[in-house]
Amino acid sequence: SQTMNHEVWLKLAKRVNEALAGDTDGVVITHGTDTMEETAYFLSLVVKSDKPVVLVGSMRPATAISADGPINLYNGVALAGNPEARGRGPLVVLNDTIHYARESQKMHSTRMDTFASPNRGIAGMMNTGKAFFYSANTVRHTTRSEFSVDGLTVASLPRVEVVYSYANLGGDMIDNLVEKGVKGIVLAGVGDGNSTDAAIAALEKAAKKGVAVVRCSRTGSGIVDRNVEINDDKLGFIAGMELNVQKARILLMLGLGRTSDVKKLQEYFYQ
């Protein structure tokens, strides 16, 4: 999954929509864990069915002692066939734990319990093939999402890049991205989406040139709200809210396919 790309996403989304349009009860997708959360979130925005879509993977190879692939696949199939999984959007299942696509994050490089949902908590648990749900998915997804892959091509997807903030970050990297013609920049900011004076100044210039700028946090959890440490209204920025950087990039990319209006893009992040 480290080589996941837009072409595969578009092909996968179209195939999932085709499969769910028939008499299929649900879909299970086997996926490497590195970018599973990104694929799941992309699907949550463009799949047009309330039937279950479940992504599963493994942290240990099939040749390892106590490989986890078989039990994850078993749980995934059981969950995809469970009527209680309908209407919840794509789900990620690993280590007997169910995560909503929007909430799931890979938090550890090797551990079996690598996936967590640090902001709103896990969706539920699996036990011997049975699903126990703890919460509902209250954000817009699938059939309530305004996004679609109809007519989308790799070439038509706006280019959105990520800038990672750190001590002494300059503005030249941001200036270079603007010169390259990017349509959006997501800041992996320190704390609640902040950065150096030089970086913020460069992002302000980018926003004035029509580049959509979204502030997120490199911490991996928490809310980046509007106008807290940064005056988003004045600078023309978008607050990433709860989304981590990689998912904010996906939402911004799809959002820019519909509008360049900063206020409307901010609404997408609220919803």
Side-chain angles (χ1 to χ4, degrees), residues 213-256:
V213 176
V214 176
R215 295 188 304 108
C216 293
S217 174
R218 73 180 193 180
T219 63
S221 62
I223 298 175
V224 176
D225 201 1
R226 290 189 65 80
N227 303 319
V228 179
E229 292 186 27
I230 300 291
N231 191 331
D232 295 300
D233 293 341
K234 177 184 176 182
L235 301 179
F237 295 166
I238 300 160
M241 304 306 292
E242 295 172 39
L243 287 182
N244 63 18
V245 176
Q246 51 269 39
K247 290 177 184 172
R249 175 185 169 271
I250 294 168
L251 181 56
L252 182 59
M253 184 173 63
L254 289 172
L256 285 170

Side-chain angles (χ1 to χ4, degrees), residues 162-167 169 173 186-190 195 199 217-219 245:
V162 172
V163 172
Y164 194 92
S165 185
Y166 49 85
L169 173 64
M173 185 189 311
V186 179
L187 173 68
V190 297
S195 193
S217 174
R218 73 180 193 180
T219 63
V245 176

Side-chain angles (χ1 to χ4, degrees), residues 50-226:
D50 66 351
K51 295 179 181 178
V53 175
V54 182
L55 289 87
V56 299
S58 66
M59 290 303 294
R60 292 175 180 168
T63 53
I65 296 173
S66 299
D68 58 326
I71 184 59
N72 291 335
L73 182 58
Y74 172 80
N75 281 333
V77 172
L79 186 59
N82 188 330
E84 291 187 26
R86 291 185 68 125
R88 298 178 182 271
L91 302 166
V92 172
V93 177
L94 218 80
N95 199 42
D96 287 338
T97 310
I98 309 168
H99 303 270
Y100 290 121
R102 181 180 182 274
E103 308 305 322
S104 64
Q105 292 188 45
K106 186 172 184 180
M107 307 291 283
H108 195 277
S109 58
T110 58
R111 275 172 39 167
M112 302 272 282
D113 60 347
T114 180
F115 277 92
S117 295
N119 286 319
R120 300 194 181 195
I122 64 173
M125 293 292 297
M126 297 295 297
N127 187 355
T128 62
K130 297 178 182 179
F132 297 86
F133 285 102
Y134 299 156
S135 64
N137 188 355
T138 60
V139 297
R140 294 174 67 97
H141 60 81
T142 54
T143 57
R144 295 192 295 127
S145 168
E146 51 266 80
F147 304 115
S148 169
V149 292
D150 293 341
L152 271 187
T153 64
V154 173
S156 69
L157 285 171
R159 181 179 174 186
V160 176
E161 298 292 345
V162 172
V163 172
Y164 194 92
S165 185
Y166 49 85
N168 202 51
L169 173 64
D172 53 342
M173 185 189 311
I174 296 163
D175 294 338
N176 289 338
L177 288 175
V178 175
E179 291 174 7
K180 292 288 186 180
V182 299
K183 302 301 181 184
I185 295 174
V186 179
L187 173 68
V190 297
D192 61 349
N194 213 329
S195 193
T196 61
D197 291 343
I200 295 299
L203 289 171
E204 181 184 9
K205 286 193 301 180
K208 288 181 178 178
K209 291 181 179 180
V211 177
V213 176
V214 176
R215 295 188 304 108
C216 293
S217 174
R218 73 180 193 180
T219 63
S221 62
I223 298 175
V224 176
D225 201 1
R226 290 189 65 80

